[in-house]
Amino acid sequence: TAISLLGERLLGTLTSSRIIIAFHVASVLFFALLVATVYMFGRLLGLSRLGSVFAAAVTFLYPTLFGHGLSNLKDTAQVSLFTLSLYFLVRSSLTEKRQYLLSGGAIWGLALASKFNAIYVPIIWGIWQMTNLRIYKSTNRKRRLLLVTGYWLLVTAVGFATAFALWPYLWFDPIPRVLEVIHYFASVGQGYKIFWDGTLYEVGSGKALWWYPWANLLYATPIPLLLLGIVGVASIVHKIVRKSSSAWPQVLLLIWFVVPQLRAFFPHAAFYDGVRHFLEVLPVGILMAAIGLEKISDLKNKKTWTVIVAGLVIVHMAFINVTYFPYSTGYYNLLAQNPNERFDRDIEALSIKEAVTYLHEKYGAIVLWSQIGGHLSWYYLTPLDRYVYSALAADSIIKVNKSSHIRQAGPDERIGPQFVLVHVISRGDAVFAWIYRKK
Protein backbone atom coordinates (compact mmCIF):
# COMPACT_ATOMS: atom_id res chain seq x y z
CA THR A 1 0.00 0.00 0.00
CA ALA A 2 2.79 2.42 0.91
CA ILE A 3 4.56 1.74 -2.39
CA SER A 4 1.27 2.24 -4.27
CA LEU A 5 0.66 5.59 -2.54
CA LEU A 6 4.23 6.70 -3.24
CA GLY A 7 3.76 5.73 -6.88
CA GLU A 8 0.62 7.85 -7.09
CA ARG A 9 2.53 10.83 -5.73
CA LEU A 10 5.34 10.41 -8.23
CA LEU A 11 3.49 9.12 -11.28
CA GLY A 12 -0.09 10.23 -10.81
CA THR A 13 -3.08 7.91 -10.55
CA LEU A 14 -1.95 4.34 -10.99
CA THR A 15 -3.42 2.06 -13.61
CA SER A 16 -4.37 -1.48 -12.67
CA SER A 17 -1.14 -2.80 -14.18
CA ARG A 18 0.96 -0.37 -12.15
CA ILE A 19 -0.90 -1.31 -8.99
CA ILE A 20 -0.08 -4.95 -9.65
CA ILE A 21 3.57 -4.10 -10.28
CA ALA A 22 3.78 -2.09 -7.05
CA PHE A 23 2.23 -5.00 -5.15
CA HIS A 24 4.79 -7.44 -6.54
CA VAL A 25 7.70 -5.04 -5.96
CA ALA A 26 6.74 -4.77 -2.28
CA SER A 27 6.57 -8.55 -2.00
CA VAL A 28 9.96 -8.96 -3.67
CA LEU A 29 11.56 -6.44 -1.30
CA PHE A 30 10.35 -8.39 1.73
CA PHE A 31 11.51 -11.61 0.07
CA ALA A 32 14.99 -10.13 -0.40
CA LEU A 33 14.98 -9.16 3.28
CA LEU A 34 14.21 -12.76 4.21
CA VAL A 35 17.09 -14.09 2.10
CA ALA A 36 19.55 -11.67 3.75
CA THR A 37 18.24 -12.45 7.22
CA VAL A 38 18.66 -16.19 6.78
CA TYR A 39 22.30 -15.60 5.85
CA MET A 40 22.84 -13.52 9.01
CA PHE A 41 21.02 -16.10 11.11
CA GLY A 42 23.28 -18.83 9.80
CA ARG A 43 26.37 -16.90 10.84
CA LEU A 44 24.84 -16.15 14.23
CA LEU A 45 24.20 -19.84 14.88
CA GLY A 46 27.77 -20.83 14.04
CA LEU A 47 27.49 -21.82 10.40
CA SER A 48 30.44 -21.13 8.13
CA ARG A 49 30.25 -18.47 5.46
CA LEU A 50 29.72 -21.18 2.84
CA GLY A 51 26.93 -22.80 4.87
CA SER A 52 25.23 -19.44 5.40
CA VAL A 53 25.46 -18.55 1.69
CA PHE A 54 23.96 -21.95 0.91
CA ALA A 55 21.08 -21.28 3.33
CA ALA A 56 20.42 -17.88 1.76
CA ALA A 57 20.49 -19.31 -1.78
CA VAL A 58 18.14 -22.12 -0.82
CA THR A 59 15.77 -19.61 0.83
CA PHE A 60 15.59 -17.76 -2.47
CA LEU A 61 15.10 -20.96 -4.49
CA TYR A 62 12.86 -22.99 -2.19
CA PRO A 63 9.81 -23.41 -4.49
CA THR A 64 7.13 -22.44 -1.95
CA LEU A 65 9.05 -19.36 -0.78
CA PHE A 66 10.00 -18.38 -4.33
CA GLY A 67 6.38 -18.56 -5.46
CA HIS A 68 4.98 -16.65 -2.50
CA GLY A 69 7.91 -14.23 -2.53
CA LEU A 70 6.94 -13.01 -6.00
CA SER A 71 3.19 -12.84 -5.49
CA ASN A 72 2.04 -12.96 -1.86
CA LEU A 73 2.74 -9.74 0.01
CA LYS A 74 1.09 -10.43 3.38
CA ASP A 75 2.62 -13.83 4.08
CA THR A 76 6.02 -12.89 2.65
CA ALA A 77 6.15 -9.76 4.82
CA GLN A 78 5.15 -11.74 7.89
CA VAL A 79 7.74 -14.50 7.48
CA SER A 80 10.48 -11.95 6.68
CA LEU A 81 9.76 -9.77 9.70
CA PHE A 82 9.18 -12.85 11.88
CA THR A 83 12.66 -14.16 11.02
CA LEU A 84 14.35 -10.76 11.36
CA SER A 85 12.80 -10.06 14.77
CA LEU A 86 13.83 -13.47 16.07
CA TYR A 87 17.34 -12.86 14.71
CA PHE A 88 17.71 -9.68 16.77
CA LEU A 89 16.30 -11.29 19.91
CA VAL A 90 18.60 -14.28 19.65
CA ARG A 91 21.54 -12.00 18.88
CA SER A 92 20.76 -10.07 22.04
CA SER A 93 20.82 -13.27 24.11
CA LEU A 94 24.04 -14.61 22.56
CA THR A 95 25.99 -11.34 22.65
CA GLU A 96 24.39 -9.77 25.75
CA LYS A 97 23.94 -6.54 23.81
CA ARG A 98 20.59 -5.41 25.13
CA GLN A 99 20.06 -2.76 22.45
CA TYR A 100 18.98 -5.58 20.14
CA LEU A 101 16.02 -6.26 22.43
CA LEU A 102 14.28 -3.06 21.37
CA SER A 103 15.03 -3.70 17.69
CA GLY A 104 13.71 -7.23 17.97
CA GLY A 105 10.60 -6.12 19.82
CA ALA A 106 9.78 -3.32 17.38
CA ILE A 107 10.28 -5.55 14.32
CA TRP A 108 8.14 -8.21 15.97
CA GLY A 109 5.42 -5.57 16.26
CA LEU A 110 5.71 -4.93 12.52
CA ALA A 111 5.37 -8.66 11.88
CA LEU A 112 2.37 -8.87 14.19
CA ALA A 113 0.71 -6.01 12.34
CA SER A 114 1.27 -7.94 9.10
CA LYS A 115 -0.21 -11.21 10.28
CA PHE A 116 -1.10 -12.69 13.66
CA ASN A 117 1.12 -15.75 13.07
CA ALA A 118 4.00 -13.62 14.36
CA ILE A 119 2.62 -14.21 17.86
CA TYR A 120 4.95 -17.23 18.00
CA VAL A 121 8.13 -15.10 18.08
CA PRO A 122 8.24 -14.30 21.84
CA ILE A 123 7.01 -17.83 22.62
CA ILE A 124 9.89 -19.41 20.69
CA TRP A 125 12.45 -16.99 22.10
CA GLY A 126 11.14 -17.37 25.65
CA ILE A 127 11.16 -21.19 25.59
CA TRP A 128 14.67 -21.18 24.10
CA GLN A 129 16.02 -18.89 26.82
CA MET A 130 14.45 -21.00 29.55
CA THR A 131 16.35 -24.06 28.28
CA ASN A 132 19.64 -22.44 29.32
CA LEU A 133 19.44 -19.70 31.92
CA ARG A 134 23.21 -19.87 32.31
CA ILE A 135 23.57 -17.57 29.32
CA TYR A 136 23.17 -14.70 31.77
CA LYS A 137 26.31 -14.31 33.84
CA SER A 138 24.66 -13.73 37.20
CA THR A 139 25.49 -16.58 39.58
CA ASN A 140 22.08 -16.33 41.21
CA ARG A 141 19.56 -18.58 39.42
CA LYS A 142 16.63 -16.55 40.72
CA ARG A 143 18.17 -13.37 39.36
CA ARG A 144 18.75 -15.02 35.97
CA LEU A 145 15.11 -16.06 35.86
CA LEU A 146 14.02 -12.52 36.71
CA LEU A 147 16.25 -11.15 33.93
CA VAL A 148 14.76 -13.51 31.36
CA THR A 149 11.23 -12.66 32.48
CA GLY A 150 11.93 -8.93 32.48
CA TYR A 151 13.46 -8.96 29.02
CA TRP A 152 10.58 -11.04 27.70
CA LEU A 153 8.00 -8.61 29.12
CA LEU A 154 9.91 -5.66 27.66
CA VAL A 155 10.01 -7.22 24.19
CA THR A 156 6.32 -8.14 24.21
CA ALA A 157 5.36 -4.67 25.45
CA VAL A 158 7.39 -2.97 22.70
CA GLY A 159 5.99 -5.36 20.10
CA PHE A 160 2.35 -4.90 21.07
CA ALA A 161 2.81 -1.10 21.27
CA THR A 162 4.35 -1.07 17.77
CA ALA A 163 1.58 -3.21 16.31
CA PHE A 164 -1.05 -1.02 17.95
CA ALA A 165 0.56 2.19 16.65
CA LEU A 166 0.64 0.82 13.09
CA TRP A 167 -2.96 -0.44 13.08
CA PRO A 168 -5.41 2.51 13.10
CA TYR A 169 -8.37 0.11 13.29
CA LEU A 170 -7.36 -0.66 16.89
CA TRP A 171 -7.14 2.97 18.00
CA PHE A 172 -10.87 3.34 18.50
CA ASP A 173 -12.62 1.01 20.93
CA PRO A 174 -9.35 -0.95 21.26
CA ILE A 175 -10.25 -3.76 23.69
CA PRO A 176 -13.20 -5.19 21.70
CA ARG A 177 -11.26 -4.86 18.47
CA VAL A 178 -8.17 -6.59 19.85
CA LEU A 179 -10.43 -9.42 21.03
CA GLU A 180 -11.99 -9.45 17.57
CA VAL A 181 -8.55 -9.91 15.97
CA ILE A 182 -7.76 -12.78 18.33
CA HIS A 183 -11.12 -14.42 17.62
CA TYR A 184 -10.60 -14.00 13.89
CA PHE A 185 -7.19 -15.66 14.04
CA ALA A 186 -8.57 -18.53 16.11
CA SER A 187 -11.62 -19.15 13.91
CA VAL A 188 -10.94 -17.98 10.35
CA GLY A 189 -11.21 -20.80 7.87
CA GLN A 190 -13.27 -23.08 10.07
CA GLY A 191 -15.40 -25.20 7.78
CA TYR A 192 -13.03 -24.73 4.82
CA LYS A 193 -12.07 -27.75 2.79
CA ILE A 194 -8.53 -28.94 2.13
CA PHE A 195 -7.74 -31.34 -0.68
CA TRP A 196 -5.04 -33.83 0.13
CA ASP A 197 -4.11 -37.03 -1.68
CA GLY A 198 -7.45 -37.19 -3.46
CA THR A 199 -9.60 -36.61 -0.36
CA LEU A 200 -11.45 -33.51 0.83
CA TYR A 201 -11.13 -32.78 4.56
CA GLU A 202 -12.96 -30.15 6.58
CA VAL A 203 -10.76 -28.08 8.90
CA GLY A 204 -11.70 -26.62 12.26
CA SER A 205 -14.65 -28.97 12.64
CA GLY A 206 -13.59 -30.65 15.88
CA LYS A 207 -11.16 -33.20 14.46
CA ALA A 208 -7.48 -32.28 14.55
CA LEU A 209 -5.72 -32.62 11.21
CA TRP A 210 -2.36 -32.60 12.99
CA TRP A 211 -0.57 -34.23 10.06
CA TYR A 212 -1.38 -31.55 7.48
CA PRO A 213 1.56 -29.10 7.87
CA TRP A 214 4.06 -31.94 8.34
CA ALA A 215 2.78 -33.77 5.26
CA ASN A 216 2.96 -30.60 3.17
CA LEU A 217 6.54 -29.99 4.23
CA LEU A 218 7.38 -33.57 3.33
CA TYR A 219 5.81 -33.35 -0.13
CA ALA A 220 6.69 -29.75 -1.04
CA THR A 221 10.40 -29.88 -0.16
CA PRO A 222 12.84 -30.97 -2.89
CA ILE A 223 14.19 -34.42 -1.96
CA PRO A 224 17.90 -33.44 -1.74
CA LEU A 225 17.06 -30.60 0.64
CA LEU A 226 14.80 -32.89 2.64
CA LEU A 227 17.67 -35.36 3.11
CA LEU A 228 20.04 -32.59 4.20
CA GLY A 229 17.42 -31.39 6.69
CA ILE A 230 17.20 -34.86 8.24
CA VAL A 231 20.99 -34.94 8.56
CA GLY A 232 20.88 -31.49 10.16
CA VAL A 233 18.32 -32.52 12.77
CA ALA A 234 20.38 -35.62 13.58
CA SER A 235 23.46 -33.42 13.95
CA ILE A 236 21.71 -31.06 16.37
CA VAL A 237 20.38 -33.95 18.46
CA HIS A 238 23.85 -35.51 18.53
CA LYS A 239 25.30 -32.23 19.83
CA ILE A 240 22.64 -32.09 22.53
CA VAL A 241 23.41 -35.64 23.66
CA ARG A 242 27.13 -34.87 23.73
CA LYS A 243 26.42 -31.60 25.56
CA SER A 244 28.46 -29.74 22.97
CA SER A 245 29.00 -26.02 23.54
CA SER A 246 27.53 -25.33 20.09
CA ALA A 247 24.33 -27.25 20.84
CA TRP A 248 22.34 -24.64 22.70
CA PRO A 249 22.17 -21.94 19.98
CA GLN A 250 20.98 -24.58 17.52
CA VAL A 251 18.36 -25.93 19.96
CA LEU A 252 16.49 -22.79 18.93
CA LEU A 253 15.90 -24.35 15.51
CA LEU A 254 14.11 -27.38 16.94
CA ILE A 255 11.85 -25.17 19.07
CA TRP A 256 11.23 -22.82 16.17
CA PHE A 257 10.33 -25.69 13.87
CA VAL A 258 7.86 -27.32 16.24
CA VAL A 259 6.01 -24.45 17.98
CA PRO A 260 4.14 -22.94 14.97
CA GLN A 261 2.96 -26.38 13.87
CA LEU A 262 1.50 -27.32 17.25
CA ARG A 263 -1.59 -25.33 16.29
CA ALA A 264 -2.55 -28.16 13.94
CA PHE A 265 -3.12 -30.42 16.96
CA PHE A 266 -6.06 -28.30 18.14
CA PRO A 267 -9.41 -29.73 16.96
CA HIS A 268 -10.84 -26.36 15.93
CA ALA A 269 -7.72 -24.89 14.31
CA ALA A 270 -8.20 -23.96 10.67
CA PHE A 271 -5.58 -23.83 7.94
CA TYR A 272 -5.45 -24.39 4.21
CA ASP A 273 -3.41 -23.61 1.07
CA GLY A 274 -0.63 -26.05 1.83
CA VAL A 275 2.10 -24.70 4.05
CA ARG A 276 1.08 -21.05 3.58
CA HIS A 277 -0.26 -20.74 7.11
CA PHE A 278 2.95 -22.24 8.49
CA LEU A 279 5.36 -20.37 6.26
CA GLU A 280 7.49 -19.24 9.20
CA VAL A 281 8.89 -22.76 9.68
CA LEU A 282 10.53 -22.84 6.24
CA PRO A 283 13.56 -20.66 7.11
CA VAL A 284 14.36 -22.87 10.09
CA GLY A 285 14.04 -26.00 7.96
CA ILE A 286 16.49 -24.45 5.50
CA LEU A 287 18.94 -23.58 8.29
CA MET A 288 18.78 -27.18 9.51
CA ALA A 289 19.54 -28.34 5.97
CA ALA A 290 22.58 -26.02 5.97
CA ILE A 291 23.73 -27.67 9.20
CA GLY A 292 23.30 -31.00 7.45
CA LEU A 293 25.47 -29.72 4.60
CA GLU A 294 28.20 -28.77 7.05
CA LYS A 295 28.01 -32.23 8.61
CA ILE A 296 29.36 -33.46 5.28
CA SER A 297 32.53 -31.59 6.24
CA ASP A 298 33.39 -34.59 8.44
CA LEU A 299 34.18 -36.51 5.24
CA LYS A 300 37.56 -36.47 3.55
CA ASN A 301 38.12 -33.63 1.10
CA LYS A 302 35.44 -31.86 3.09
CA LYS A 303 35.44 -28.59 1.16
CA THR A 304 35.17 -30.33 -2.19
CA TRP A 305 32.27 -32.51 -1.05
CA THR A 306 30.47 -29.56 0.53
CA VAL A 307 30.77 -27.42 -2.60
CA ILE A 308 29.64 -30.28 -4.86
CA VAL A 309 26.58 -31.13 -2.75
CA ALA A 310 25.65 -27.46 -2.33
CA GLY A 311 25.98 -26.87 -6.04
CA LEU A 312 23.85 -29.87 -6.98
CA VAL A 313 21.07 -28.83 -4.57
CA ILE A 314 21.06 -25.23 -5.80
CA VAL A 315 21.03 -26.26 -9.46
CA HIS A 316 18.20 -28.71 -8.80
CA MET A 317 16.08 -26.04 -7.08
CA ALA A 318 16.84 -23.45 -9.75
CA PHE A 319 15.67 -25.93 -12.38
CA ILE A 320 12.40 -26.44 -10.49
CA ASN A 321 11.67 -22.71 -10.38
CA VAL A 322 12.59 -22.11 -14.01
CA THR A 323 10.39 -25.04 -15.03
CA TYR A 324 7.40 -24.00 -12.91
CA PHE A 325 7.66 -20.21 -13.24
CA PRO A 326 5.63 -18.40 -11.98
CA TYR A 327 3.72 -21.23 -10.28
CA SER A 328 6.38 -22.54 -7.90
CA THR A 329 3.89 -22.77 -5.02
CA GLY A 330 2.35 -25.69 -6.90
CA TYR A 331 5.50 -27.83 -6.73
CA TYR A 332 5.38 -31.35 -5.27
CA ASN A 333 8.27 -33.77 -5.06
CA LEU A 334 8.30 -37.42 -6.14
CA LEU A 335 6.55 -38.54 -2.94
CA ALA A 336 3.27 -37.05 -4.20
CA GLN A 337 1.57 -39.44 -6.60
CA ASN A 338 -0.63 -37.98 -9.38
CA PRO A 339 -0.44 -34.44 -7.96
CA ASN A 340 -2.58 -32.93 -10.73
CA GLU A 341 -5.56 -35.04 -9.68
CA ARG A 342 -4.89 -35.60 -5.98
CA PHE A 343 -3.64 -32.21 -4.72
CA ASP A 344 -4.28 -28.49 -5.14
CA ARG A 345 -1.91 -27.11 -7.78
CA ASP A 346 -2.61 -23.40 -8.14
CA ILE A 347 -2.73 -22.15 -4.55
CA GLU A 348 -3.22 -18.46 -5.40
CA ALA A 349 -5.03 -18.68 -8.76
CA LEU A 350 -2.04 -17.07 -10.46
CA SER A 351 -2.97 -18.85 -13.70
CA ILE A 352 -5.89 -16.43 -14.14
CA LYS A 353 -3.61 -13.85 -15.79
CA GLU A 354 -2.19 -16.31 -18.30
CA ALA A 355 -5.67 -17.70 -19.01
CA VAL A 356 -7.19 -14.28 -19.72
CA THR A 357 -4.24 -13.41 -21.97
CA TYR A 358 -4.79 -16.61 -23.94
CA LEU A 359 -8.52 -15.94 -24.34
CA HIS A 360 -7.91 -12.39 -25.56
CA GLU A 361 -5.30 -13.50 -28.08
CA LYS A 362 -7.48 -16.33 -29.35
CA TYR A 363 -11.01 -14.91 -29.20
CA GLY A 364 -10.85 -11.16 -28.60
CA ALA A 365 -13.63 -9.84 -26.36
CA ILE A 366 -14.97 -12.43 -23.91
CA VAL A 367 -17.78 -13.07 -21.45
CA LEU A 368 -15.92 -14.77 -18.62
CA TRP A 369 -16.70 -16.84 -15.55
CA SER A 370 -14.13 -18.43 -13.24
CA GLN A 371 -15.01 -20.57 -10.25
CA ILE A 372 -11.81 -19.60 -8.43
CA GLY A 373 -10.04 -16.25 -8.45
CA GLY A 374 -12.62 -14.65 -10.71
CA HIS A 375 -12.00 -11.29 -9.04
CA LEU A 376 -8.36 -11.46 -10.15
CA SER A 377 -9.47 -11.49 -13.79
CA TRP A 378 -11.01 -8.05 -13.37
CA TYR A 379 -7.54 -6.49 -13.52
CA TYR A 380 -6.98 -7.97 -16.98
CA LEU A 381 -10.42 -7.55 -18.59
CA THR A 382 -10.92 -4.80 -21.14
CA PRO A 383 -13.97 -2.50 -21.51
CA LEU A 384 -15.18 -4.82 -24.26
CA ASP A 385 -15.18 -7.84 -21.92
CA ARG A 386 -17.82 -8.81 -19.39
CA TYR A 387 -17.53 -10.84 -16.22
CA VAL A 388 -20.49 -13.01 -15.17
CA TYR A 389 -21.22 -15.26 -12.21
CA SER A 390 -22.47 -18.44 -13.80
CA ALA A 391 -21.59 -20.80 -16.64
CA LEU A 392 -24.99 -20.19 -18.25
CA ALA A 393 -24.15 -16.58 -19.07
CA ALA A 394 -20.50 -17.10 -20.06
CA ASP A 395 -18.83 -17.93 -23.33
CA SER A 396 -15.47 -18.67 -21.64
CA ILE A 397 -14.67 -20.49 -18.40
CA ILE A 398 -11.42 -20.72 -16.46
CA LYS A 399 -11.13 -23.68 -14.11
CA VAL A 400 -8.19 -23.24 -11.74
CA ASN A 401 -6.74 -26.51 -10.46
CA LYS A 402 -7.70 -26.03 -6.81
CA SER A 403 -10.33 -28.59 -5.85
CA SER A 404 -10.44 -27.54 -2.20
CA HIS A 405 -11.73 -24.08 -3.05
CA ILE A 406 -14.66 -25.32 -5.12
CA ARG A 407 -15.25 -27.94 -2.40
CA GLN A 408 -15.36 -30.66 -5.00
CA ALA A 409 -12.92 -33.26 -6.25
CA GLY A 410 -13.21 -34.48 -9.82
CA PRO A 411 -15.33 -33.11 -12.70
CA ASP A 412 -17.34 -29.96 -12.08
CA GLU A 413 -20.98 -30.35 -13.13
CA ARG A 414 -21.32 -26.58 -13.51
CA ILE A 415 -19.28 -26.83 -16.70
CA GLY A 416 -21.95 -28.29 -18.95
CA PRO A 417 -21.68 -30.21 -22.23
CA GLN A 418 -22.05 -26.97 -24.20
CA PHE A 419 -18.43 -26.15 -23.32
CA VAL A 420 -15.33 -27.71 -24.80
CA LEU A 421 -11.79 -27.74 -23.39
CA VAL A 422 -9.65 -25.49 -25.60
CA HIS A 423 -6.44 -24.98 -23.62
CA VAL A 424 -4.52 -26.26 -20.60
CA ILE A 425 -2.19 -24.03 -18.61
CA SER A 426 0.70 -26.21 -17.55
CA ARG A 427 4.39 -26.35 -16.82
CA GLY A 428 5.83 -29.67 -17.89
CA ASP A 429 3.42 -32.27 -16.56
CA ALA A 430 2.05 -29.93 -13.84
CA VAL A 431 -1.45 -28.62 -14.70
CA PHE A 432 -2.57 -25.33 -13.16
CA ALA A 433 -5.78 -24.46 -15.03
CA TRP A 434 -8.13 -25.52 -17.82
CA ILE A 435 -9.83 -23.12 -20.22
CA TYR A 436 -13.27 -23.96 -21.68
CA ARG A 437 -15.09 -22.25 -24.52
CA LYS A 438 -18.74 -22.48 -25.49
CA LYS A 439 -19.29 -24.52 -28.65
Side-chain angles (χ1 to χ4, degrees):
T1 302
I3 291 179
S4 296
L5 293 175
L6 179 61
E8 288 187 0
R9 291 288 186 184
L10 296 175
L11 303 173
T13 303
L14 296 181
T15 62
S16 59
S17 61
R18 284 183 173 176
I19 291 172
I20 294 170
I21 291 171
F23 177 88
H24 287 292
V25 167
S27 183
V28 168
L29 290 175
F30 277 112
F31 187 33
L33 175 64
L34 176 63
V35 172
T37 303
V38 169
Y39 171 82
M40 295 189 298
F41 229 132
R43 298 294 286 158
L44 183 65
L45 296 179
L47 289 173
S48 67
R49 185 170 283 105
L50 175 61
S52 299
V53 168
F54 172 77
V58 168
T59 300
F60 176 67
L61 294 171
Y62 188 97
T64 302
L65 286 174
F66 186 82
H68 284 299
L70 299 182
S71 61
N72 182 350
L73 177 56
K74 179 180 69 172
D75 292 291
T76 302
Q78 188 271 146
V79 69
S80 300
L81 295 170
F82 183 111
T83 307
L84 184 61
S85 63
L86 198 52
Y87 165 79
F88 277 114
L89 295 176
V90 172
R91 185 172 180 179
S92 171
S93 298
L94 292 177
T95 63
E96 296 193 59
K97 294 180 179 179
R98 305 305 169 217
Q99 64 266 31
Y100 294 128
L101 286 173
L102 296 179
S103 300
I107 295 170
W108 173 59
L110 292 173
L112 195 62
S114 301
K115 191 175 180 180
F116 201 72
N117 284 44
I119 196 69
Y120 302 123
V121 168
I123 298 173
I124 294 167
W125 180 59
I127 293 174
W128 175 67
Q129 288 196 112
M130 294 300 290
T131 61
N132 189 1
L133 291 173
R134 289 176 297 175
I135 191 170
Y136 297 108
K137 293 179 179 179
S138 174
T139 56
N140 187 307
R141 178 178 174 82
K142 183 177 180 181
R143 176 172 170 75
R144 291 198 297 264
L145 182 60
L146 287 174
L147 279 173
V148 169
T149 304
Y151 292 146
W152 189 89
L153 290 173
L154 174 63
V155 166
T156 53
V158 170
F160 280 126
T162 303
F164 184 86
L166 293 173
W167 207 339
Y169 178 74
L170 302 178
W171 297 352
F172 307 96
D173 205 11
I175 294 178
R177 291 189 173 182
V178 167
L179 294 175
E180 178 186 341
V181 169
I182 295 172
H183 177 264
Y184 177 82
F185 175 74
S187 61
V188 63
Q190 287 181 348
Y192 277 29
K193 298 287 186 179
I194 58 175
F195 186 53
W196 183 261
D197 202 15
T199 302
L200 283 167
Y201 299 89
E202 185 173 328
V203 295
S205 59
K207 183 177 180 180
L209 301 178
W210 59 269
W211 48 267
Y212 185 72
W214 308 89
N216 272 278
L217 287 170
L218 184 65
Y219 280 25
T221 302
I223 296 295
L225 189 67
L226 190 63
L227 295 175
L228 284 178
I230 293 171
V231 174
V233 172
S235 176
I236 295 172
V237 172
H238 185 244
K239 290 176 183 178
I240 294 172
V241 172
R242 290 175 50 233
K243 297 183 179 179
S244 170
S245 60
S246 62
W248 184 65
Q250 295 182 2
V251 166
L252 169 79
L253 299 179
L254 300 179
I255 299 169
W256 182 359
F257 191 70
V258 170
V259 167
Q261 298 187 80
L262 292 178
R263 179 164 61 97
F265 286 86
F266 291 93
H268 294 285
F271 35 81
Y272 45 92
D273 286 355
V275 76
R276 183 170 73 86
H277 287 171
F278 303 91
L279 214 57
E280 54 276 353
V281 305
L282 295 184
V284 64
I286 291 167
L287 286 167
M288 289 192 291
I291 292 173
L293 176 70
E294 298 219 326
K295 189 65 178 176
I296 298 174
S297 299
D298 294 338
L299 302 173
K300 292 181 180 180
N301 298 319
K302 57 183 182 180
K303 189 172 183 180
T304 302
W305 273 103
T306 303
V307 171
I308 290 173
V309 172
L312 290 174
V313 172
I314 289 172
V315 169
H316 173 63
M317 297 179 72
F319 177 77
I320 291 171
N321 287 297
V322 169
T323 303
Y324 276 68
F325 187 83
Y327 310 121
S328 295
T329 53
Y331 167 78
Y332 293 96
N333 62 33
L334 295 176
L335 298 177
Q337 300 298 306
N338 301 318
N340 289 329
E341 292 79 30
R342 304 183 67 83
F343 298 88
D344 284 338
R345 272 296 197 183
D346 191 352
I347 297 297
E348 299 176 278
L350 294 179
S351 55
I352 288 288
K353 181 180 186 296
E354 185 174 341
V356 173
T357 299
Y358 170 84
L359 286 167
H360 281 152
E361 292 176 351
K362 185 77 172 179
Y363 302 104
I366 56 175
V367 180
L368 177 67
W369 175 63
S370 180
Q371 304 130 302
I372 303 169
H375 62 291
L376 299 178
S377 69
W378 302 345
Y379 289 98
Y380 311 110
L381 297 179
T382 71
L384 298 177
D385 299 322
R386 187 158 58 94
Y387 187 84
V388 294
Y389 294 89
S390 72
L392 295 175
D395 62 25
S396 305
I397 294 177
I398 301 171
K399 181 183 178 181
V400 174
N401 193 355
K402 189 177 182 183
S403 295
S404 63
H405 207 73
I406 60 174
R407 306 170 69 89
Q408 178 179 338
D412 193 329
E413 295 177 353
R414 289 177 291 180
I415 300 177
Q418 70 273 31
F419 286 90
V420 60
L421 179 66
V422 295
H423 187 64
V424 177
I425 294 178
S426 61
R427 296 292 186 272
D429 59 358
V431 176
F432 296 95
W434 300 270
I435 301 175
Y436 295 85
R437 181 76 177 176
K438 186 172 286 186
K439 295 177 182 177

